[in-house]
Coordinates of all heavy atoms in Angstrom, one line a residue:
M1478 N 35.9 2.3 -1.7 CA 34.7 1.5 -1.4 C 33.5 2.5 -1.2 O 33.7 3.5 -0.4 CB 34.8 0.6 -0.3 CG 33.6 -0.2 0.0 SD 33.7 -1.3 1.5 CE 34.9 -2.5 0.9
A1479 N 32.4 2.3 -1.8 CA 31.3 3.2 -1.6 C 30.7 3.1 -0.2 O 30.7 2.0 0.4 CB 30.2 2.8 -2.6
E1480 N 30.2 4.2 0.3 CA 29.6 4.2 1.6 C 28.2 3.6 1.6 O 27.5 3.7 0.6 CB 29.5 5.6 2.2 CG 30.9 6.3 2.5 CD 31.6 5.6 3.6 OE1 31.0 5.2 4.6 OE2 32.8 5.4 3.5
L1481 N 27.9 2.9 2.6 CA 26.5 2.3 2.7 C 25.4 3.3 2.6 O 24.4 3.0 2.0 CB 26.4 1.5 4.0 CG 25.1 0.7 4.3 CD1 25.0 -0.3 3.2 CD2 25.1 0.1 5.6
E1482 N 25.7 4.5 3.1 CA 24.6 5.5 3.0 C 24.3 6.0 1.6 O 23.4 6.7 1.3 CB 25.1 6.7 3.8 CG 25.0 6.5 5.3 CD 26.2 5.7 5.8 OE1 27.3 5.6 5.2 OE2 26.1 5.1 6.9
T1483 N 25.2 5.6 0.6 CA 24.9 6.0 -0.8 C 23.8 5.1 -1.4 O 23.4 5.5 -2.5 CB 26.2 5.9 -1.6 OG1 26.7 4.6 -1.7 CG2 27.3 6.9 -1.1
I1484 N 23.4 4.1 -0.8 CA 22.4 3.2 -1.3 C 21.0 3.9 -1.0 O 20.7 4.2 0.2 CB 22.4 1.8 -0.7 CG1 23.7 1.1 -1.1 CG2 21.2 1.0 -1.2 CD1 23.9 -0.2 -0.4
D1485 N 20.3 4.2 -2.0 CA 19.0 4.8 -1.8 C 18.1 4.0 -1.0 O 18.1 2.7 -1.1 CB 18.3 5.0 -3.2 CG 17.0 5.6 -3.2 OD1 16.9 6.8 -3.0 OD2 16.0 4.9 -3.3
D1486 N 17.3 4.6 -0.1 CA 16.4 3.8 0.8 C 15.4 2.9 0.1 O 15.2 1.8 0.5 CB 15.6 4.8 1.8 CG 16.5 5.4 2.8 OD1 17.7 4.9 3.0 OD2 16.1 6.3 3.5
A1487 N 14.9 3.4 -1.0 CA 13.9 2.6 -1.8 C 14.6 1.4 -2.4 O 14.1 0.3 -2.4 CB 13.3 3.4 -2.9
V1488 N 15.9 1.6 -2.9 CA 16.6 0.4 -3.4 C 17.0 -0.5 -2.3 O 16.8 -1.8 -2.4 CB 17.9 1.0 -4.1 CG1 18.8 -0.2 -4.5 CG2 17.6 1.8 -5.3
A1489 N 17.4 0.0 -1.1 CA 17.7 -0.9 0.0 C 16.5 -1.7 0.5 O 16.6 -2.9 0.8 CB 18.3 -0.1 1.2
A1490 N 15.3 -1.0 0.5 CA 14.1 -1.7 0.9 C 13.7 -2.8 -0.1 O 13.3 -3.9 0.3 CB 13.0 -0.7 1.1
T1491 N 13.9 -2.5 -1.4 CA 13.6 -3.5 -2.4 C 14.5 -4.7 -2.2 O 14.1 -5.9 -2.3 CB 13.6 -2.9 -3.8 OG1 12.7 -1.9 -3.9 CG2 13.4 -4.0 -4.9
A1492 N 15.8 -4.5 -2.1 CA 16.8 -5.5 -1.9 C 16.5 -6.3 -0.6 O 16.6 -7.6 -0.6 CB 18.2 -5.0 -1.9
F1493 N 16.1 -5.7 0.5 CA 15.8 -6.3 1.7 C 14.6 -7.3 1.5 O 14.6 -8.4 2.0 CB 15.6 -5.3 2.8 CG 15.1 -6.0 4.1 CD1 16.1 -6.6 4.9 CD2 13.8 -6.0 4.5 CE1 15.7 -7.2 6.1 CE2 13.4 -6.6 5.7 CZ 14.3 -7.2 6.5
R1494 N 13.6 -6.8 0.9 CA 12.4 -7.6 0.7 C 12.7 -8.8 -0.2 O 12.2 -9.9 0.0 CB 11.3 -6.8 0.0 CG 10.6 -5.8 1.0 CD 9.5 -5.0 0.4 NE 8.9 -4.1 1.3 CZ 9.2 -2.8 1.3 NH1 10.0 -2.3 0.4 NH2 8.7 -2.0 2.2
R1495 N 13.6 -8.6 -1.2 CA 14.0 -9.8 -2.0 C 14.8 -10.8 -1.2 O 14.6 -12.0 -1.3 CB 14.8 -9.3 -3.2 CG 15.2 -10.4 -4.1 CD 15.8 -9.9 -5.4 NE 16.1 -11.0 -6.3 CZ 16.7 -10.9 -7.4 NH1 17.0 -9.7 -7.9 NH2 17.0 -11.9 -8.2
L1496 N 15.6 -10.3 -0.3 CA 16.3 -11.2 0.6 C 15.4 -12.0 1.5 O 15.5 -13.2 1.7 CB 17.3 -10.4 1.5 CG 18.0 -11.2 2.7 CD1 18.8 -12.3 2.1 CD2 18.8 -10.3 3.5
V1497 N 14.4 -11.3 2.1 CA 13.4 -12.0 2.9 C 12.6 -13.0 2.1 O 12.5 -14.2 2.6 CB 12.4 -11.0 3.5 CG1 11.3 -11.7 4.2 CG2 13.2 -10.1 4.6
L1498 N 12.2 -12.7 0.9 CA 11.5 -13.7 0.0 C 12.4 -14.9 -0.3 O 11.9 -16.0 -0.3 CB 11.0 -13.0 -1.2 CG 9.8 -12.1 -1.1 CD1 9.5 -11.3 -2.4 CD2 8.6 -12.8 -0.6
H1499 N 13.7 -14.6 -0.5 CA 14.6 -15.7 -0.8 C 14.7 -16.6 0.4 O 14.7 -17.8 0.2 CB 16.0 -15.1 -1.2 CG 17.0 -16.1 -1.5 ND1 17.0 -16.8 -2.7 CD2 18.0 -16.6 -0.8 CE1 18.0 -17.6 -2.7 NE2 18.7 -17.5 -1.6
L1500 N 14.9 -16.0 1.6 CA 15.0 -16.9 2.8 C 13.7 -17.6 3.0 O 13.8 -18.8 3.5 CB 15.4 -16.0 4.0 CG 16.8 -15.5 3.9 CD1 17.0 -14.5 5.1 CD2 17.8 -16.6 4.0
R1501 N 12.6 -17.1 2.8 CA 11.3 -17.8 2.9 C 11.3 -19.0 2.0 O 10.8 -20.1 2.3 CB 10.1 -16.9 2.6 CG 9.8 -15.9 3.8 CD 8.6 -15.0 3.4 NE 8.4 -14.0 4.4 CZ 7.4 -13.1 4.3 NH1 6.6 -13.2 3.2 NH2 7.2 -12.2 5.2
H1502 N 11.7 -18.8 0.7 CA 11.7 -19.8 -0.3 C 12.7 -21.0 0.1 O 12.4 -22.1 -0.2 CB 12.1 -19.2 -1.6 CG 12.3 -20.3 -2.7 ND1 11.2 -21.0 -3.3 CD2 13.4 -20.7 -3.3 CE1 11.7 -21.8 -4.2 NE2 13.0 -21.6 -4.2
R1503 N 13.8 -20.6 0.7 CA 14.9 -21.6 1.0 C 14.8 -22.0 2.4 O 15.7 -21.9 3.3 CB 16.2 -20.9 0.8 CG 16.6 -20.7 -0.7 CD 16.6 -22.0 -1.5 NE 17.5 -23.0 -0.9 CZ 18.8 -23.1 -1.2 NH1 19.3 -22.4 -2.1 NH2 19.5 -24.1 -0.7
G1504 N 13.6 -22.7 2.7 CA 13.5 -23.3 4.1 C 14.5 -24.3 4.4 O 14.7 -24.7 5.5
D1505 N 15.1 -24.9 3.3 CA 16.1 -25.9 3.5 C 17.4 -25.3 4.1 O 18.3 -26.0 4.6 CB 16.4 -26.6 2.2 CG 17.0 -25.7 1.1 OD1 16.4 -24.6 0.9 OD2 18.0 -26.0 0.5
A1506 N 17.6 -24.0 4.0 CA 18.8 -23.3 4.5 C 18.5 -23.1 6.0 O 17.8 -22.2 6.4 CB 19.0 -22.0 3.8
Q1507 N 19.1 -23.9 6.8 CA 18.8 -23.9 8.3 C 19.5 -22.6 8.9 O 20.5 -22.2 8.5 CB 19.4 -25.1 8.9 CG 18.7 -26.4 8.5 CD 17.3 -26.5 9.0 OE1 17.1 -26.5 10.2 NE2 16.3 -26.6 8.1
N1508 N 18.8 -22.1 9.9 CA 19.3 -20.9 10.6 C 20.7 -21.2 11.2 O 21.6 -20.4 11.1 CB 18.4 -20.5 11.7 CG 17.2 -19.7 11.2 OD1 17.3 -19.1 10.1 ND2 16.2 -19.7 12.0
V1509 N 20.9 -22.4 11.7 CA 22.2 -22.7 12.3 C 23.3 -22.7 11.2 O 24.4 -22.3 11.5 CB 22.1 -24.1 13.1 CG1 22.0 -25.3 12.1 CG2 23.4 -24.2 14.0
D1510 N 23.0 -23.1 10.0 CA 24.0 -23.1 8.9 C 24.2 -21.6 8.5 O 25.4 -21.3 8.2 CB 23.5 -23.9 7.8 CG 23.5 -25.4 8.1 OD1 24.4 -25.9 8.8 OD2 22.6 -26.1 7.6
L1511 N 23.2 -20.8 8.4 CA 23.4 -19.4 8.1 C 24.3 -18.7 9.2 O 25.2 -18.0 8.8 CB 22.0 -18.7 8.0 CG 21.1 -19.1 6.9 CD1 19.7 -18.4 7.1 CD2 21.7 -18.7 5.5
M1512 N 24.0 -19.1 10.4 CA 24.8 -18.5 11.5 C 26.3 -19.0 11.4 O 27.2 -18.2 11.6 CB 24.3 -18.9 12.9 CG 23.0 -18.3 13.2 SD 23.1 -16.5 13.5 CE 24.0 -16.5 15.0
G1513 N 26.5 -20.3 11.0 CA 27.8 -20.8 10.9 C 28.6 -20.3 9.8 O 29.8 -20.2 9.8
L1514 N 27.9 -19.9 8.7 CA 28.6 -19.3 7.6 C 28.7 -17.8 7.6 O 29.8 -17.2 7.4 CB 27.8 -19.7 6.3 CG 28.4 -19.1 5.0 CD1 29.8 -19.7 4.7 CD2 27.4 -19.5 3.8
A1515 N 27.6 -17.1 8.0 CA 27.6 -15.6 7.9 C 27.5 -14.9 9.2 O 27.5 -13.7 9.3 CB 26.5 -15.2 6.9
G1516 N 27.2 -15.7 10.3 CA 27.1 -15.0 11.6 C 25.7 -14.3 11.8 O 25.6 -13.5 12.7
F1517 N 24.8 -14.6 10.9 CA 23.4 -14.0 11.1 C 22.4 -15.0 10.5 O 22.8 -15.9 9.7 CB 23.2 -12.6 10.5 CG 23.0 -12.6 9.1 CD1 21.7 -12.5 8.6 CD2 24.0 -12.8 8.1 CE1 21.4 -12.5 7.2 CE2 23.7 -12.8 6.8 CZ 22.4 -12.7 6.3
C1518 N 21.1 -14.9 10.9 CA 20.1 -15.8 10.4 C 18.8 -15.0 10.4 O 18.7 -13.8 10.6 CB 20.0 -17.0 11.3 SG 19.3 -16.7 12.9
R1519 N 17.7 -15.7 10.1 CA 16.4 -15.1 10.0 C 16.0 -14.5 11.3 O 15.4 -13.4 11.4 CB 15.4 -16.2 9.7 CG 15.5 -16.8 8.3 CD 14.6 -18.0 8.1 NE 14.8 -18.6 6.8 CZ 15.7 -19.6 6.6 NH1 16.5 -20.0 7.5 NH2 15.8 -20.1 5.4
N1520 N 16.4 -15.1 12.5 CA 16.1 -14.5 13.8 C 16.8 -13.2 13.9 O 16.2 -12.3 14.5 CB 16.4 -15.5 14.9 CG 15.5 -16.7 14.9 OD1 14.4 -16.6 14.4 ND2 15.9 -17.7 15.6
C1521 N 18.0 -13.1 13.5 CA 18.8 -11.9 13.6 C 18.1 -10.8 12.8 O 17.9 -9.7 13.2 CB 20.2 -12.0 13.0 SG 21.2 -13.2 13.9
L1522 N 17.6 -11.1 11.5 CA 16.9 -10.2 10.7 C 15.7 -9.7 11.4 O 15.3 -8.5 11.4 CB 16.6 -10.8 9.3 CG 17.7 -10.9 8.3 CD1 17.1 -11.6 7.1 CD2 18.2 -9.6 8.0
S1523 N 14.9 -10.6 12.0 CA 13.7 -10.2 12.7 C 14.0 -9.4 13.9 O 13.3 -8.4 14.2 CB 12.9 -11.5 13.1 OG 13.5 -12.2 14.1
D1524 N 15.1 -9.6 14.6 CA 15.5 -8.8 15.7 C 15.8 -7.4 15.2 O 15.4 -6.4 15.8 CB 16.7 -9.3 16.4 CG 16.4 -10.6 17.2 OD1 15.2 -10.9 17.5 OD2 17.4 -11.3 17.6
W1525 N 16.5 -7.3 14.1 CA 16.9 -6.0 13.5 C 15.6 -5.2 13.1 O 15.5 -4.0 13.2 CB 17.9 -6.1 12.4 CG 19.1 -6.8 12.8 CD1 19.7 -6.9 14.0 CD2 20.0 -7.5 11.9 NE1 20.9 -7.6 13.9 CE2 21.1 -8.0 12.7 CE3 20.0 -7.8 10.5 CZ2 22.2 -8.7 12.1 CZ3 21.1 -8.5 10.0 CH2 22.1 -9.0 10.8
V1526 N 14.7 -5.9 12.5 CA 13.4 -5.3 12.1 C 12.7 -4.8 13.3 O 12.1 -3.7 13.3 CB 12.5 -6.3 11.2 CG1 11.1 -5.8 11.1 CG2 13.2 -6.5 9.9
Q1527 N 12.6 -5.6 14.4 CA 11.9 -5.2 15.6 C 12.6 -3.9 16.1 O 11.9 -3.0 16.5 CB 12.0 -6.3 16.6 CG 11.3 -5.9 17.9 CD 11.4 -6.9 19.0 OE1 12.2 -7.9 18.9 NE2 10.7 -6.7 20.1
E1528 N 13.9 -3.9 16.2 CA 14.6 -2.7 16.7 C 14.3 -1.5 15.9 O 14.1 -0.4 16.4 CB 16.1 -3.0 16.7 CG 16.6 -4.0 17.8 CD 18.0 -4.4 17.6 OE1 18.8 -3.7 16.9 OE2 18.4 -5.4 18.3
A1529 N 14.3 -1.7 14.5 CA 14.1 -0.6 13.6 C 12.7 -0.1 13.7 O 12.4 1.1 13.3 CB 14.5 -1.0 12.2
S1530 N 11.7 -0.9 14.2 CA 10.3 -0.5 14.2 C 10.0 0.5 15.3 O 8.8 0.9 15.4 CB 9.4 -1.8 14.3 OG 9.4 -2.2 15.6
D1531 N 10.9 0.8 16.2 CA 10.7 1.7 17.3 C 9.4 1.3 18.1 O 8.6 2.2 18.4 CB 10.6 3.1 16.8 CG 11.9 3.7 16.3 OD1 12.9 3.3 16.9 OD2 11.9 4.5 15.3
G1532 N 9.3 0.0 18.3 CA 8.2 -0.4 19.2 C 6.9 -0.8 18.4 O 6.0 -1.3 19.1
A1533 N 6.9 -0.6 17.1 CA 5.7 -0.9 16.4 C 5.5 -2.4 16.2 O 4.4 -2.9 16.1 CB 5.7 -0.3 15.0
L1534 N 6.6 -3.2 16.3 CA 6.5 -4.6 16.2 C 7.1 -5.3 17.5 O 8.1 -4.8 17.9 CB 7.3 -5.2 15.0 CG 6.8 -4.9 13.6 CD1 7.8 -5.3 12.6 CD2 5.5 -5.7 13.4
D1535 N 6.4 -6.3 18.0 CA 7.0 -7.1 19.0 C 7.8 -8.2 18.4 O 7.9 -8.3 17.2 CB 5.9 -7.6 20.0 CG 5.0 -8.6 19.3 OD1 5.2 -9.0 18.2 OD2 4.0 -8.9 20.0
K1536 N 8.5 -9.0 19.2 CA 9.4 -10.0 18.7 C 8.6 -11.0 17.8 O 9.1 -11.3 16.7 CB 10.0 -10.8 19.9 CG 11.0 -11.8 19.5 CD 11.7 -12.4 20.8 CE 12.8 -13.4 20.3 NZ 13.6 -13.7 21.5
E1537 N 7.4 -11.5 18.2 CA 6.7 -12.4 17.4 C 6.2 -11.8 16.1 O 6.3 -12.4 15.0 CB 5.5 -13.0 18.2 CG 5.9 -14.0 19.2 CD 6.8 -15.1 18.7 OE1 6.4 -15.7 17.6 OE2 7.8 -15.4 19.3
G1538 N 5.8 -10.5 16.1 CA 5.4 -9.8 14.9 C 6.5 -9.6 13.9 O 6.3 -9.8 12.7
A1539 N 7.7 -9.3 14.4 CA 8.9 -9.2 13.6 C 9.3 -10.5 13.0 O 9.6 -10.6 11.8 CB 10.0 -8.6 14.4
R1540 N 9.2 -11.6 13.8 CA 9.5 -12.9 13.2 C 8.5 -13.3 12.2 O 8.9 -13.8 11.1 CB 9.6 -13.9 14.3 CG 10.9 -13.8 15.1 CD 11.2 -14.9 16.0 NE 12.5 -14.8 16.6 CZ 13.1 -15.6 17.4 NH1 12.4 -16.7 17.8 NH2 14.2 -15.4 17.9
E1541 N 7.3 -13.0 12.4 CA 6.3 -13.4 11.4 C 6.5 -12.6 10.1 O 6.3 -13.1 9.0 CB 4.9 -13.2 11.9 CG 3.8 -13.7 11.0 CD 2.4 -13.9 11.6 OE1 2.4 -13.9 12.9 OE2 1.5 -13.9 10.9
A1542 N 7.0 -11.3 10.2 CA 7.3 -10.5 9.0 C 8.4 -11.1 8.2 O 8.4 -11.1 7.0 CB 7.6 -9.1 9.5
I1543 N 9.4 -11.7 8.9 CA 10.5 -12.3 8.2 C 10.2 -13.7 7.7 O 10.5 -14.1 6.6 CB 11.8 -12.4 9.1 CG1 12.2 -11.0 9.4 CG2 12.9 -13.2 8.5 CD1 12.6 -10.1 8.2
Y1544 N 9.6 -14.6 8.5 CA 9.3 -16.0 8.2 C 8.1 -16.1 7.3 O 7.9 -17.1 6.6 CB 9.1 -16.8 9.5 CG 10.4 -17.1 10.2 CD1 10.8 -16.3 11.2 CD2 11.2 -18.2 9.8 CE1 12.0 -16.5 11.9 CE2 12.4 -18.4 10.5 CZ 12.8 -17.6 11.5 OH 13.9 -17.9 12.2
G1545 N 7.2 -15.1 7.3 CA 6.0 -15.3 6.5 C 4.9 -16.1 7.1 O 3.9 -16.4 6.5
M1546 N 5.1 -16.5 8.4 CA 4.2 -17.3 9.2 C 4.6 -17.2 10.6 O 5.8 -16.7 10.9 CB 4.2 -18.7 8.7 CG 5.5 -19.4 8.9 SD 5.6 -21.2 8.3 CE 5.5 -20.9 6.5
P1547 N 3.8 -17.6 11.5 CA 4.3 -17.6 12.9 C 5.6 -18.5 13.1 O 5.7 -19.5 12.4 CB 3.1 -18.3 13.7 CG 1.9 -18.0 12.9 CD 2.4 -18.1 11.4
Y1548 N 6.5 -18.0 13.9 CA 7.8 -18.7 14.0 C 7.6 -20.1 14.4 O 8.3 -21.0 13.9 CB 8.7 -17.9 15.0 CG 10.0 -18.6 15.3 CD1 10.9 -18.8 14.3 CD2 10.3 -19.0 16.6 CE1 12.1 -19.4 14.5 CE2 11.5 -19.7 16.8 CZ 12.4 -19.8 15.8 OH 13.6 -20.5 16.1
A1549 N 6.7 -20.4 15.3 CA 6.5 -21.8 15.8 C 6.1 -22.7 14.6 O 6.6 -23.9 14.6 CB 5.5 -21.9 16.9
Q1550 N 5.3 -22.2 13.7 CA 4.9 -23.0 12.6 C 6.1 -23.2 11.7 O 6.3 -24.3 11.2 CB 3.8 -22.2 11.8 CG 3.3 -23.0 10.6 CD 2.2 -22.2 9.9 OE1 1.7 -21.2 10.3 NE2 1.9 -22.6 8.7
W1551 N 6.9 -22.2 11.4 CA 8.0 -22.4 10.5 C 9.0 -23.4 11.1 O 9.5 -24.2 10.4 CB 8.7 -21.0 10.3 CG 9.8 -21.1 9.3 CD1 9.7 -20.9 7.9 CD2 11.2 -21.5 9.5 NE1 11.0 -21.1 7.3 CE2 11.9 -21.5 8.3 CE3 11.9 -21.8 10.7 CZ2 13.2 -21.8 8.2 CZ3 13.3 -22.1 10.6 CH2 13.9 -22.1 9.3
K1552 N 9.2 -23.2 12.4 CA 10.2 -24.1 13.1 C 9.7 -25.6 13.0 O 10.5 -26.4 12.7 CB 10.3 -23.7 14.6 CG 11.4 -24.3 15.3 CD 11.4 -23.7 16.7 CE 12.4 -24.4 17.6 NZ 12.5 -23.8 18.9
A1553 N 8.4 -25.8 13.2 CA 7.9 -27.2 13.1 C 8.0 -27.7 11.7 O 8.2 -28.9 11.5 CB 6.4 -27.2 13.5
Q1554 N 7.8 -26.9 10.7 CA 7.9 -27.3 9.3 C 9.3 -27.4 8.7 O 9.5 -28.3 7.8 CB 7.1 -26.4 8.4 CG 5.6 -26.4 8.6 CD 4.8 -25.4 7.8 OE1 5.4 -24.6 7.0 NE2 3.5 -25.4 7.9
H1555 N 10.2 -26.6 9.2 CA 11.5 -26.5 8.5 C 12.7 -26.8 9.3 O 13.8 -27.1 8.7 CB 11.6 -25.1 7.9 CG 10.6 -24.8 6.9 ND1 10.6 -25.3 5.6 CD2 9.5 -24.0 7.0 CE1 9.5 -24.8 5.0 NE2 8.9 -24.0 5.8
Q1556 N 12.7 -26.6 10.6 CA 13.9 -26.6 11.4 C 14.1 -28.0 12.0 O 13.3 -28.6 12.7 CB 13.8 -25.6 12.5 CG 15.1 -25.5 13.3 CD 15.1 -24.3 14.2 OE1 14.8 -23.2 13.7 NE2 15.4 -24.4 15.4
G1557 N 15.3 -28.5 11.7 CA 15.7 -29.8 12.2 C 16.6 -29.6 13.4 O 16.9 -28.5 13.8
E1558 N 17.0 -30.7 14.1 CA 17.9 -30.6 15.2 C 19.3 -30.3 14.8 O 19.8 -30.9 13.8 CB 17.8 -32.0 15.9 CG 18.4 -32.0 17.3 CD 17.6 -31.2 18.3 OE1 16.3 -31.2 18.2 OE2 18.2 -30.6 19.2
A1559 N 19.9 -29.4 15.4 CA 21.3 -29.0 15.0 C 22.3 -30.0 15.5 O 22.1 -30.6 16.6 CB 21.6 -27.6 15.7
T1560 N 23.3 -30.3 14.7 CA 24.3 -31.3 15.0 C 25.4 -30.5 15.8 O 25.5 -29.3 15.8 CB 25.0 -31.8 13.7 OG1 25.7 -30.8 13.1 CG2 23.9 -32.5 12.8
P1561 N 26.2 -31.3 16.5 CA 27.3 -30.7 17.3 C 28.3 -29.9 16.3 O 28.8 -28.8 16.7 CB 28.0 -31.9 17.9 CG 27.0 -32.9 18.1 CD 26.1 -32.7 16.8
E1562 N 28.5 -30.4 15.1 CA 29.3 -29.7 14.2 C 28.7 -28.4 13.7 O 29.4 -27.4 13.6 CB 29.6 -30.6 12.9 CG 30.4 -31.9 13.2 CD 29.5 -33.0 13.8 OE1 28.2 -32.9 13.8 OE2 30.1 -34.0 14.3
Q1563 N 27.4 -28.3 13.5 CA 26.8 -27.1 13.1 C 26.8 -26.1 14.3 O 27.1 -24.9 14.0 CB 25.3 -27.3 12.8 CG 25.0 -28.0 11.5 CD 23.6 -28.4 11.3 OE1 22.9 -29.0 12.2 NE2 23.0 -28.1 10.1
L1564 N 26.6 -26.5 15.5 CA 26.7 -25.7 16.6 C 28.1 -25.1 16.8 O 28.3 -23.9 17.2 CB 26.2 -26.4 17.9 CG 24.7 -26.7 17.9 CD1 24.4 -27.6 19.1 CD2 23.9 -25.5 17.9
A1565 N 29.1 -25.9 16.6 CA 30.5 -25.5 16.7 C 30.8 -24.4 15.7 O 31.5 -23.4 16.0 CB 31.5 -26.7 16.6
R1566 N 30.4 -24.6 14.4 CA 30.6 -23.7 13.3 C 29.9 -22.4 13.7 O 30.5 -21.3 13.4 CB 30.1 -24.2 12.0 CG 31.1 -25.1 11.3 CD 30.7 -25.3 9.8 NE 29.4 -25.9 9.7 CZ 29.1 -27.2 9.7 NH1 30.1 -28.1 9.9 NH2 27.9 -27.7 9.6
M1567 N 28.7 -22.5 14.2 CA 27.9 -21.3 14.6 C 28.7 -20.5 15.6 O 28.8 -19.3 15.5 CB 26.5 -21.7 15.0 CG 25.7 -20.5 15.4 SD 24.1 -20.9 16.0 CE 24.5 -21.4 17.7
A1568 N 29.1 -21.2 16.7 CA 29.8 -20.5 17.8 C 31.1 -19.8 17.3 O 31.4 -18.6 17.6 CB 30.2 -21.5 18.9
E1569 N 31.8 -20.5 16.4 CA 33.1 -19.9 15.8 C 32.7 -18.6 15.0 O 33.4 -17.6 15.0 CB 33.8 -20.9 15.0 CG 35.1 -20.4 14.4 CD 35.8 -21.5 13.6 OE1 35.6 -22.7 13.8 OE2 36.6 -21.1 12.7
S1570 N 31.7 -18.7 14.2 CA 31.3 -17.6 13.3 C 30.8 -16.5 14.1 O 31.1 -15.3 13.8 CB 30.2 -18.1 12.3 OG 29.8 -17.1 11.5
V1571 N 29.9 -16.7 15.1 CA 29.3 -15.6 15.9 C 30.4 -14.9 16.7 O 30.3 -13.7 16.8 CB 28.2 -16.2 16.8 CG1 27.8 -15.2 17.8 CG2 27.0 -16.7 16.0
A1572 N 31.5 -15.6 17.0 CA 32.6 -14.9 17.7 C 33.2 -13.8 16.9 O 33.8 -12.9 17.4 CB 33.6 -16.0 18.2
K1573 N 33.1 -13.9 15.6 CA 33.7 -13.0 14.7 C 32.8 -11.7 14.6 O 33.2 -10.7 14.0 CB 33.8 -13.5 13.3 CG 34.8 -14.7 13.2 CD 34.9 -15.3 11.8 CE 35.8 -16.5 11.8 NZ 35.8 -17.1 10.4
N1574 N 31.6 -11.7 15.1 CA 30.6 -10.6 15.0 C 31.0 -9.4 15.8 O 30.5 -8.3 15.6 CB 29.2 -11.1 15.3 CG 28.6 -11.9 14.2 OD1 29.2 -12.1 13.1 ND2 27.4 -12.4 14.4
A1575 N 31.8 -9.6 16.8 CA 32.1 -8.5 17.7 C 32.7 -7.3 16.9 O 32.4 -6.3 16.9 CB 33.1 -8.9 18.8

């Protein structure tokens, strides 16, 4: 298996930006469902961006970079109430992240 470090930074950046655009387009893909399936969501991406920014971005700035709008606005427009089943899948999935 190829090492992650073999991916050129410019290629990785382009792929990351495409992922962010895809997630912005797919507002129907709820964060709780992403967490339940893959153990990460848009908030995780924004946390990783904030960490990688070495202090250049605060939490809200990083979330706006991922969501393409203030997080509160995105949440009001796209996020529904999570069901108990979604929350259970998310908890099970996140437990695998260790």
